[in-house]
Amino acid sequence: MAQIGIIGSKGRMGEALARAIADSGHQLAGGVDQGEAPGPLAAQSDVLVDFSAPAALQANLDAVLASSTPILIGTTGLEDAHHQLIDDVAETIPVLQTGNTSLGVNLLAHLVHRAAETLGPDWDIEILEMHHRHKVDAPSGTAKILGIAASEGRGISLAGNTESGRDGITGPRKEGAIGFAALRGGSVAGDHSVILAGDEERITLSHSAENRMIFARGAVKAAAWLTKQTPGRYTMNDVLGLG
């Protein structure tokens, strides 16, 4: 049983985490939010889960470093400077940083990487995602994770091989491109499909999210796993035993 503290406890993800912690049999050590010092919470927790904001990362890392408390960082929008901070702290304590804590999504990304690596550039890759009508960005962060997995499987740069927003007379598909398409409507929590299209055959790898509890449950599983690790920087692949 782990004592899990939440940074960003009053947000939607923080509330979902509290429910997931209760369901898992672990204990909620407490929570902090904007303007509150994370140090006391870090000292009384076996592990912290951070879904706050990039601006808070330095203070959060200082707190866990002072108390030698492992931390799972699910905050999005991190820049190179933030990742350098994480690298430095991971020399002393266990740190897991990820853009998505869903176990299913991370397994899907692993399968996409393997498929892209195995099938090679003769197979076209298209990533299709659908979310609720209120989502403001496209493609989704998860779609980008899948795109990165596909590009790394092929050993190419995603930035230089992306096609999206096709409209009008676009000409033939660029060889080796990874395509993105975004659909919006209704209350869809998140559907993602990666289509690998070869000559006369197709493979589709898909994941459907029904609500944000999948991310909360994945984060709790990863946080509990992190309490048993030695210092270092980890990913969800490590939690799933995918290497």
Side-chain angles (χ1 to χ4, degrees):
M1 181 184 298
Q3 295 284 336
I4 302 175
I6 302 173
I7 301 175
S9 62
K10 294 181 180 178
R12 288 183 298 173
M13 190 62 195
E15 293 173 353
L17 279 166
R19 294 196 298 273
I21 291 169
D23 291 344
S24 69
H26 296 293
Q27 295 291 321
L28 176 62
V32 294
D33 291 278
Q34 186 175 5
E36 299 176 330
L41 178 62
Q44 66 190 35
S45 301
D46 295 324
V47 59
L48 289 186
V49 179
D50 179 11
F51 279 92
S52 56
L57 182 65
Q58 178 73 74
N60 296 337
L61 292 178
D62 287 345
V64 296
L65 195 57
S67 58
S68 298
T69 305
I71 184 170
L72 183 155
I73 302 167
T75 302
T76 57
L78 301 181
E79 299 178 353
D80 290 344
H82 297 119
H83 286 288
Q84 184 59 58
L85 291 173
I86 295 171
D87 287 342
D88 292 344
V89 171
E91 295 180 3
T92 304
I93 61 173
V95 180
L96 191 158
Q97 184 271 320
T98 179
N100 191 304
T101 54
S102 162
L103 301 180
V105 165
N106 281 279
L107 179 57
L108 175 61
H110 176 77
L111 295 174
V112 169
H113 183 285
R114 182 67 180 273
E117 181 180 43
T118 301
L119 297 173
D122 291 339
W123 289 63
D124 300 322
I125 299 177
E126 294 285 314
I127 299 172
L128 174 66
E129 56 100 342
M130 182 170 185
H131 284 82
H132 53 84
R133 63 173 66 94
H134 301 294
K135 187 169 178 60
V136 298
D137 61 310
S140 69
T142 298
K144 293 176 182 177
I145 288 173
L146 297 174
I148 291 171
S151 65
E152 290 181 347
R154 282 192 171 171
I156 62 174
S157 164
L158 179 62
N161 293 278
T162 295
E163 284 190 359
S164 61
R166 299 186 184 109
D167 185 40
I169 302 175
T170 61
R173 190 181 195 280
K174 179 183 174 183
E175 184 177 355
I178 296 174
F180 288 85
L183 308 180
R184 297 290 178 265
S187 58
V188 179
D191 289 348
H192 294 83
S193 293
V194 179
I195 303 165
L196 297 103
D199 292 336
E200 302 177 341
E201 59 181 329
R202 291 190 307 278
I203 296 173
T204 301
L205 303 172
S206 299
H207 177 272
S208 294
E210 297 181 3
N211 61 57
R212 70 180 59 251
M213 285 303 295
I214 66 169
F215 307 111
R217 284 191 289 269
V220 170
K221 179 180 178 67
W225 176 89
L226 196 59
T227 64
K228 302 178 179 65
Q229 307 311 310
T230 57
R233 182 163 182 170
Y234 298 95
T235 70
M236 291 299 292
N237 277 357
D238 297 312
V239 178
L240 291 168
L242 300 175

